[in-house]
Amino acid sequence: MPAVRQLARTITVLALASVPVVMSQAAFAERDKHGNNGSQTEQHGNATDDGTLSSTVGTIVYDRSKNGTGNSAGPVTSTTSWTPPACWYAPKYSPAELKDYLEPIWQADSTGSQWDLEQRNKYEKGGDKPGTYKDFNKEKTGKGYWWDSYVNESFPPGWDKCDKPFFWVDKGDPPPADVENAVTPRVLGELAYNEIRVPGTKVTLAPANATKVNLPTWAWLDGAAFKPVSVTASIDALGISATTTAEPVSLKIEPGTSDAQTYPASGVCEIHDGKIGEPYAKGKADQTPPCGVKYLRSSGNGTYPLRATITWKIHWTGSDGTGDDLPDGTFGATQDVTVQEIQAVNR
C-alpha cells in the first residue's frame, strides 16, 4: 500500500515541522536586534531519569555569533543549481518514545489495518528477521536512537523526499551509507549554508552625491565590514559539528544602463590584500580607478540603479577533520546614482 505509507510519512513530516524550537530569551532578543543574526540559537532536548533524551535529541543547534549582522545583511544565493538539503535524517526517538508515537496511529486505524499490521511486525513483534525489532528495540534503551526525518521550516522543493521508515542507529555508529542526507558533518555543513548571512553591499562612490558624464567614478567597500563570516551547526547527542565559512572574493558592478563603462571592463573587481576597490584620494582625479564606473549619458531628472554584488567563496570543515568546498554564493544591493551633464562656461 504505497499510497498509505506515503500518507503516513507525510503526516510524520508535518508533525515534525510543528515541533517547537526552544530558544533562550536572551538569544532571541539578540537575533531580533541584529536582523536574525549574530547569536547562538539554543535548542534543547529533555532527559528522563535514565538519561534518555526526548525527541528533540536530533535538533540542530546553530551558532551564528560569527555571522554577518545589521539590517542590510542577508542570505547568499548559490551560483549553481545546488541547494542545501530540504530534509534530512537525524536521531529523534528512544524506544519508549517511538512506541508512544506509533501506538495511537495504529489504534486509530487511520492508515489501514494491513499497513498497521506490517508496522507492528516490524517494530513491535519482530526481532527474528533482519530489519525487524522486538518491542521497539527496548533492550537497547540508552544505547542508540531511532532516526527519522526533519524538514526545513520554509518547506522548499524536496521537503517531502525524506520518506524512509524509522531506522535504528547505535551510539557511536555512523548512519547507514545508503540513506541520503542522514546527518553527518557534511550534511551539517550544507545545512549551515542556509544560515549564512553576509553584509549588505552598498558601495562608497567618489564623487559621492552626484557624478558627471564622462567622469570616472571611484567605487569601494568598507574592508572592515567584509571579512569572512561563519556559522557552526552541531548535534550534541552525536558529538558532531561543522563550520561553514564564507569569504568575499570579488565585487561586480552593474551600472544600471548600457551607456556606461566599468573599471575593469568586466565590471568584476577582484579583492586584493583584503581590499575591495580603492578609496579615492586627492590628486587621483586623472587616474583610472581600479574599481568604478564612467557614465556616458546624464540620468536626466532621474537616477541609474547601480547594482553591486559580492561573490563569496564558501566551504565547510567538520569536527571529524573532513571538509570541502560548497558552491559560491552571491549577495547584492541596488543604489541610485545621479549623473549630471558637465556645465561649460562660454566667455
Side-chain angles (χ1 to χ4, degrees):
M1 304 176 66
V4 174
R5 287 193 186 91
Q6 182 58 42
L7 173 62
R9 296 301 299 163
T10 302
I11 292 173
T12 298
V13 171
L14 288 173
L16 227 106
S18 66
V19 174
V21 173
V22 180
M23 183 185 300
S24 71
Q25 292 182 352
F28 183 87
E30 186 71 11
R31 288 189 67 196
D32 185 67
K33 182 175 75 172
H34 292 297
N36 292 333
N37 299 310
S39 67
Q40 178 170 332
T41 299
E42 298 177 4
Q43 300 171 335
H44 303 286
N46 297 318
T48 61
D49 292 339
D50 64 358
T52 304
L53 289 172
S54 74
S55 59
T56 55
V57 65
T59 302
I60 298 172
V61 175
Y62 293 102
D63 182 351
R64 303 178 180 89
S65 61
K66 297 181 181 179
N67 221 351
T69 60
N71 293 331
S72 63
V76 295
T77 300
S78 172
T79 57
T80 71
S81 60
W82 176 88
T83 57
C87 64
W88 59 95
Y89 298 93
K92 186 178 291 186
Y93 299 118
S94 68
E97 287 163 349
L98 183 60
K99 179 179 180 179
D100 289 344
Y101 175 77
L102 288 177
E103 283 286 1
I105 297 175
W106 297 341
Q107 292 172 7
D109 198 26
S110 59
T111 50
S113 58
Q114 180 61 35
W115 187 83
D116 291 346
L117 178 60
E118 293 175 0
Q119 294 298 293
R120 283 190 181 278
N121 289 337
K122 179 180 177 68
Y123 296 108
E124 184 181 33
K125 301 182 181 302
D128 296 329
K129 297 180 180 179
T132 66
Y133 307 88
K134 182 179 180 180
D135 199 13
F136 303 92
N137 227 14
K138 185 177 180 180
E139 64 179 17
K140 285 196 171 185
T141 296
K143 299 179 181 179
Y145 310 102
W146 284 106
W147 287 44
D148 193 22
S149 59
Y150 288 74
V151 179
N152 183 323
E153 291 180 353
S154 65
F155 295 94
W159 69 269
D160 56 347
K161 298 299 183 184
C162 295
D163 57 1
K164 290 186 178 297
F166 308 104
F167 57 92
W168 179 268
V169 179
D170 287 335
K171 286 184 178 180
D173 286 353
D178 62 342
V179 179
E180 184 178 5
N181 290 347
V183 73
T184 60
R186 175 186 63 81
V187 171
L188 290 178
E190 293 175 350
L191 291 171
Y193 190 107
N194 259 344
E195 305 301 318
I196 288 288
R197 297 294 181 268
V198 296
T201 52
K202 183 176 181 179
V203 296
T204 303
L205 301 174
N209 298 321
T211 188
K212 308 295 184 181
V213 172
N214 292 322
L215 176 68
T217 300
W218 293 57
W220 67 94
L221 287 165
D222 180 3
F226 286 86
K227 294 182 177 180
V229 299
S230 65
V231 171
T232 297
S234 61
I235 296 182
D236 290 343
L238 298 180
I240 61 173
S241 65
T243 298
T244 298
T245 303
E247 302 177 69
V249 293
S250 65
L251 164 68
K252 182 177 182 180
I253 291 181
E254 299 170 275
T257 173
S258 59
D259 294 315
Q261 174 184 338
T262 56
Y263 303 100
S266 64
V268 177
C269 307
E270 301 293 341
I271 295 179
H272 296 290
D273 299 326
K275 298 179 181 178
I276 307 173
E278 181 180 329
Y280 174 77
K282 186 176 181 180
K284 293 183 177 181
D286 295 330
Q287 297 181 22
T288 299
C291 184
V293 60
K294 179 169 70 177
Y295 287 95
L296 307 178
R297 187 185 296 271
S298 166
S299 60
N301 294 325
T303 58
Y304 290 126
L306 180 146
R307 183 164 183 80
T309 303
I310 290 283
T311 294
W312 297 78
K313 185 174 179 60
I314 303 176
H315 66 276
W316 64 272
T317 303
S319 54
D320 59 353
T322 57
D324 201 357
D325 291 334
L326 291 170
D328 291 349
T330 61
F331 184 65
T334 300
Q335 59 196 85
D336 295 330
V337 177
T338 300
V339 181
Q340 301 171 339
E341 293 281 1
I342 297 178
Q343 302 296 319
V345 177
N346 295 322
R347 296 184 182 275

